[in-house]
PDB file of all heavy atoms in Angstrom:
ATOM      1  N   VAL T 660     249.523 144.495  44.510  1.00 73.00           N
ATOM      2  CA  VAL T 660     250.542 145.342  45.130  1.00 73.00           C
ATOM      3  C   VAL T 660     250.257 145.452  46.634  1.00 73.00           C
ATOM      4  O   VAL T 660     249.092 145.434  47.072  1.00 73.00           O
ATOM      5  CB  VAL T 660     250.552 146.732  44.456  1.00 73.00           C
ATOM      6  CG1 VAL T 660     251.679 147.599  45.005  1.00 73.00           C
ATOM      7  CG2 VAL T 660     250.706 146.571  42.945  1.00 73.00           C
ATOM      8  N   ARG T 661     251.333 145.591  47.439  1.00 69.00           N
ATOM      9  CA  ARG T 661     251.180 145.697  48.894  1.00 69.00           C
ATOM     10  C   ARG T 661     250.365 146.921  49.276  1.00 69.00           C
ATOM     11  O   ARG T 661     250.336 147.924  48.575  1.00 69.00           O
ATOM     12  CB  ARG T 661     252.556 145.777  49.560  1.00 69.00           C
ATOM     13  CG  ARG T 661     253.369 144.493  49.431  1.00 69.00           C
ATOM     14  CD  ARG T 661     254.737 144.673  50.033  1.00 69.00           C
ATOM     15  NE  ARG T 661     255.566 143.484  49.809  1.00 69.00           N
ATOM     16  CZ  ARG T 661     256.867 143.412  50.110  1.00 69.00           C
ATOM     17  NH1 ARG T 661     257.476 144.463  50.656  1.00 69.00           N
ATOM     18  NH2 ARG T 661     257.548 142.308  49.873  1.00 69.00           N
ATOM     19  N   ARG T 662     249.748 146.786  50.458  1.00 70.00           N
ATOM     20  CA  ARG T 662     248.867 147.852  50.922  1.00 70.00           C
ATOM     21  C   ARG T 662     249.632 149.139  51.177  1.00 70.00           C
ATOM     22  O   ARG T 662     249.144 150.229  50.871  1.00 70.00           O
ATOM     23  CB  ARG T 662     248.152 147.404  52.200  1.00 70.00           C
ATOM     24  CG  ARG T 662     247.166 148.412  52.754  1.00 70.00           C
ATOM     25  CD  ARG T 662     246.465 147.862  53.971  1.00 70.00           C
ATOM     26  NE  ARG T 662     245.738 146.643  53.633  1.00 70.00           N
ATOM     27  CZ  ARG T 662     245.093 145.891  54.554  1.00 70.00           C
ATOM     28  NH1 ARG T 662     245.101 146.243  55.833  1.00 70.00           N
ATOM     29  NH2 ARG T 662     244.457 144.803  54.174  1.00 70.00           N
ATOM     30  N   GLU T 663     250.863 149.053  51.729  1.00 66.00           N
ATOM     31  CA  GLU T 663     251.625 150.265  52.017  1.00 66.00           C
ATOM     32  C   GLU T 663     251.930 151.047  50.750  1.00 66.00           C
ATOM     33  O   GLU T 663     251.808 152.281  50.707  1.00 66.00           O
ATOM     34  CB  GLU T 663     252.934 149.903  52.749  1.00 66.00           C
ATOM     35  CG  GLU T 663     252.748 149.264  54.116  1.00 66.00           C
ATOM     36  CD  GLU T 663     252.516 147.768  53.992  1.00 66.00           C
ATOM     37  OE1 GLU T 663     252.454 147.280  52.830  1.00 66.00           O
ATOM     38  OE2 GLU T 663     252.371 147.084  55.038  1.00 66.00           O
ATOM     39  N   VAL T 664     252.334 150.303  49.718  1.00 69.00           N
ATOM     40  CA  VAL T 664     252.643 150.969  48.452  1.00 69.00           C
ATOM     41  C   VAL T 664     251.373 151.574  47.855  1.00 69.00           C
ATOM     42  O   VAL T 664     251.378 152.698  47.341  1.00 69.00           O
ATOM     43  CB  VAL T 664     253.298 149.978  47.463  1.00 69.00           C
ATOM     44  CG1 VAL T 664     253.572 150.647  46.134  1.00 69.00           C
ATOM     45  CG2 VAL T 664     254.571 149.397  48.049  1.00 69.00           C
ATOM     46  N   LEU T 665     250.261 150.824  47.971  1.00 66.00           N
ATOM     47  CA  LEU T 665     249.017 151.345  47.429  1.00 66.00           C
ATOM     48  C   LEU T 665     248.562 152.598  48.168  1.00 66.00           C
ATOM     49  O   LEU T 665     248.022 153.526  47.545  1.00 66.00           O
ATOM     50  CB  LEU T 665     247.925 150.269  47.511  1.00 66.00           C
ATOM     51  CG  LEU T 665     248.069 149.086  46.552  1.00 66.00           C
ATOM     52  CD1 LEU T 665     246.960 148.075  46.780  1.00 66.00           C
ATOM     53  CD2 LEU T 665     248.035 149.560  45.104  1.00 66.00           C
ATOM     54  N   GLN T 666     248.793 152.625  49.488  1.00 60.00           N
ATOM     55  CA  GLN T 666     248.405 153.823  50.241  1.00 60.00           C
ATOM     56  C   GLN T 666     249.204 155.039  49.781  1.00 60.00           C
ATOM     57  O   GLN T 666     248.652 156.132  49.591  1.00 60.00           O
ATOM     58  CB  GLN T 666     248.602 153.587  51.741  1.00 60.00           C
ATOM     59  CG  GLN T 666     247.595 152.609  52.347  1.00 60.00           C
ATOM     60  CD  GLN T 666     247.863 152.337  53.812  1.00 60.00           C
ATOM     61  OE1 GLN T 666     248.899 152.766  54.349  1.00 60.00           O
ATOM     62  NE2 GLN T 666     246.943 151.622  54.463  1.00 60.00           N
ATOM     63  N   GLU T 667     250.519 154.855  49.599  1.00 63.00           N
ATOM     64  CA  GLU T 667     251.346 155.971  49.152  1.00 63.00           C
ATOM     65  C   GLU T 667     250.965 156.392  47.725  1.00 63.00           C
ATOM     66  O   GLU T 667     250.897 157.581  47.396  1.00 63.00           O
ATOM     67  CB  GLU T 667     252.823 155.584  49.200  1.00 63.00           C
ATOM     68  CG  GLU T 667     253.794 156.727  48.896  1.00 63.00           C
ATOM     69  CD  GLU T 667     253.681 157.838  49.930  1.00 63.00           C
ATOM     70  OE1 GLU T 667     253.336 157.553  51.096  1.00 63.00           O
ATOM     71  OE2 GLU T 667     253.941 159.007  49.563  1.00 63.00           O
ATOM     72  N   VAL T 668     250.697 155.405  46.920  1.00 63.00           N
ATOM     73  CA  VAL T 668     250.286 155.720  45.547  1.00 63.00           C
ATOM     74  C   VAL T 668     248.934 156.418  45.553  1.00 63.00           C
ATOM     75  O   VAL T 668     248.693 157.350  44.771  1.00 63.00           O
ATOM     76  CB  VAL T 668     250.239 154.426  44.709  1.00 63.00           C
ATOM     77  CG1 VAL T 668     249.572 154.682  43.364  1.00 63.00           C
ATOM     78  CG2 VAL T 668     251.643 153.881  44.483  1.00 63.00           C
ATOM     79  N   GLU T 669     248.050 155.980  46.454  1.00 61.00           N
ATOM     80  CA  GLU T 669     246.752 156.633  46.555  1.00 61.00           C
ATOM     81  C   GLU T 669     246.896 158.084  46.978  1.00 61.00           C
ATOM     82  O   GLU T 669     246.233 158.983  46.452  1.00 61.00           O
ATOM     83  CB  GLU T 669     245.874 155.864  47.535  1.00 61.00           C
ATOM     84  CG  GLU T 669     244.470 156.414  47.645  1.00 61.00           C
ATOM     85  CD  GLU T 669     243.617 155.615  48.606  1.00 61.00           C
ATOM     86  OE1 GLU T 669     244.126 154.617  49.159  1.00 61.00           O
ATOM     87  OE2 GLU T 669     242.449 155.996  48.823  1.00 61.00           O
ATOM     88  N   THR T 670     247.805 158.320  47.956  1.00 59.00           N
ATOM     89  CA  THR T 670     248.050 159.701  48.386  1.00 59.00           C
ATOM     90  C   THR T 670     248.650 160.521  47.247  1.00 59.00           C
ATOM     91  O   THR T 670     248.242 161.676  47.007  1.00 59.00           O
ATOM     92  CB  THR T 670     249.001 159.712  49.597  1.00 59.00           C
ATOM     93  OG1 THR T 670     248.432 158.923  50.644  1.00 59.00           O
ATOM     94  CG2 THR T 670     249.242 161.128  50.087  1.00 59.00           C
ATOM     95  N   ALA T 671     249.607 159.934  46.561  1.00 59.00           N
ATOM     96  CA  ALA T 671     250.217 160.646  45.435  1.00 59.00           C
ATOM     97  C   ALA T 671     249.187 160.907  44.350  1.00 59.00           C
ATOM     98  O   ALA T 671     249.201 161.946  43.683  1.00 59.00           O
ATOM     99  CB  ALA T 671     251.392 159.838  44.878  1.00 59.00           C
ATOM    100  N   GLY T 672     248.267 159.947  44.199  1.00 59.00           N
ATOM    101  CA  GLY T 672     247.235 160.146  43.205  1.00 59.00           C
ATOM    102  C   GLY T 672     246.316 161.299  43.535  1.00 59.00           C
ATOM    103  O   GLY T 672     245.807 161.987  42.637  1.00 59.00           O
ATOM    104  N   LYS T 673     246.064 161.530  44.846  1.00 57.00           N
ATOM    105  CA  LYS T 673     245.216 162.651  45.235  1.00 57.00           C
ATOM    106  C   LYS T 673     245.853 163.982  44.865  1.00 57.00           C
ATOM    107  O   LYS T 673     245.181 164.919  44.422  1.00 57.00           O
ATOM    108  CB  LYS T 673     244.954 162.607  46.737  1.00 57.00           C
ATOM    109  CG  LYS T 673     244.086 161.439  47.178  1.00 57.00           C
ATOM    110  CD  LYS T 673     243.872 161.464  48.687  1.00 57.00           C
ATOM    111  CE  LYS T 673     243.004 160.291  49.156  1.00 57.00           C
ATOM    112  NZ  LYS T 673     242.837 160.289  50.625  1.00 57.00           N
ATOM    113  N   PHE T 674     247.206 164.083  45.080  1.00 58.00           N
ATOM    114  CA  PHE T 674     247.897 165.345  44.818  1.00 58.00           C
ATOM    115  C   PHE T 674     248.537 165.375  43.427  1.00 58.00           C
ATOM    116  O   PHE T 674     249.187 166.360  43.071  1.00 58.00           O
ATOM    117  CB  PHE T 674     248.988 165.570  45.880  1.00 58.00           C
ATOM    118  CG  PHE T 674     248.437 165.816  47.252  1.00 58.00           C
ATOM    119  CD1 PHE T 674     248.355 164.790  48.182  1.00 58.00           C
ATOM    120  CD2 PHE T 674     247.987 167.074  47.613  1.00 58.00           C
ATOM    121  CE1 PHE T 674     247.836 165.019  49.442  1.00 58.00           C
ATOM    122  CE2 PHE T 674     247.473 167.309  48.882  1.00 58.00           C
ATOM    123  CZ  PHE T 674     247.386 166.274  49.798  1.00 58.00           C
ATOM    124  N   TYR T 675     248.387 164.290  42.689  1.00 58.00           N
ATOM    125  CA  TYR T 675     249.008 164.212  41.366  1.00 58.00           C
ATOM    126  C   TYR T 675     248.486 165.322  40.451  1.00 58.00           C
ATOM    127  O   TYR T 675     249.262 165.998  39.785  1.00 58.00           O
ATOM    128  CB  TYR T 675     248.709 162.829  40.758  1.00 58.00           C
ATOM    129  CG  TYR T 675     249.118 162.692  39.314  1.00 58.00           C
ATOM    130  CD1 TYR T 675     250.447 162.532  38.950  1.00 58.00           C
ATOM    131  CD2 TYR T 675     248.162 162.710  38.288  1.00 58.00           C
ATOM    132  CE1 TYR T 675     250.821 162.396  37.624  1.00 58.00           C
ATOM    133  CE2 TYR T 675     248.524 162.575  36.961  1.00 58.00           C
ATOM    134  CZ  TYR T 675     249.849 162.422  36.646  1.00 58.00           C
ATOM    135  OH  TYR T 675     250.222 162.299  35.337  1.00 58.00           O
ATOM    136  N   ARG T 676     247.197 165.525  40.502  1.00 60.00           N
ATOM    137  CA  ARG T 676     246.610 166.557  39.637  1.00 60.00           C
ATOM    138  C   ARG T 676     247.100 167.946  40.014  1.00 60.00           C
ATOM    139  O   ARG T 676     247.437 168.755  39.153  1.00 60.00           O
ATOM    140  CB  ARG T 676     245.085 166.487  39.724  1.00 60.00           C
ATOM    141  CG  ARG T 676     244.349 167.481  38.843  1.00 60.00           C
ATOM    142  CD  ARG T 676     242.873 167.198  38.845  1.00 60.00           C
ATOM    143  NE  ARG T 676     242.292 167.251  40.183  1.00 60.00           N
ATOM    144  CZ  ARG T 676     241.870 168.387  40.751  1.00 60.00           C
ATOM    145  NH1 ARG T 676     241.972 169.534  40.115  1.00 60.00           N
ATOM    146  NH2 ARG T 676     241.351 168.377  41.964  1.00 60.00           N
ATOM    147  N   TYR T 677     247.169 168.214  41.359  1.00 60.00           N
ATOM    148  CA  TYR T 677     247.647 169.535  41.791  1.00 60.00           C
ATOM    149  C   TYR T 677     249.102 169.738  41.409  1.00 60.00           C
ATOM    150  O   TYR T 677     249.518 170.808  40.954  1.00 60.00           O
ATOM    151  CB  TYR T 677     247.475 169.691  43.308  1.00 60.00           C
ATOM    152  CG  TYR T 677     246.067 169.449  43.780  1.00 60.00           C
ATOM    153  CD1 TYR T 677     245.804 168.671  44.908  1.00 60.00           C
ATOM    154  CD2 TYR T 677     244.987 169.976  43.089  1.00 60.00           C
ATOM    155  CE1 TYR T 677     244.511 168.440  45.342  1.00 60.00           C
ATOM    156  CE2 TYR T 677     243.683 169.765  43.521  1.00 60.00           C
ATOM    157  CZ  TYR T 677     243.446 168.988  44.636  1.00 60.00           C
ATOM    158  OH  TYR T 677     242.166 168.765  45.054  1.00 60.00           O
ATOM    159  N   GLY T 678     249.919 168.693  41.645  1.00 62.00           N
ATOM    160  CA  GLY T 678     251.336 168.808  41.303  1.00 62.00           C
ATOM    161  C   GLY T 678     251.548 169.063  39.818  1.00 62.00           C
ATOM    162  O   GLY T 678     252.396 169.880  39.430  1.00 62.00           O
ATOM    163  N   MET T 679     250.785 168.364  38.968  1.00 63.00           N
ATOM    164  CA  MET T 679     250.929 168.576  37.539  1.00 63.00           C
ATOM    165  C   MET T 679     250.520 169.993  37.147  1.00 63.00           C
ATOM    166  O   MET T 679     251.160 170.639  36.303  1.00 63.00           O
ATOM    167  CB  MET T 679     250.069 167.565  36.776  1.00 63.00           C
ATOM    168  CG  MET T 679     250.548 166.123  36.890  1.00 63.00           C
ATOM    169  SD  MET T 679     252.212 165.853  36.193  1.00 63.00           S
ATOM    170  CE  MET T 679     253.220 165.884  37.677  1.00 63.00           C
TER     171      MET T 679
END
Side-chain angles (χ1 to χ4, degrees):
V660 185
R661 293 177 185 173
R662 182 177 300 175
E663 296 84 357
V664 178
L665 289 178
Q666 289 177 352
E667 186 63 29
V668 169
E669 184 179 358
T670 303
K673 292 180 180 178
F674 292 98
Y675 171 76
R676 182 172 59 86
Y677 305 135
M679 292 298 99

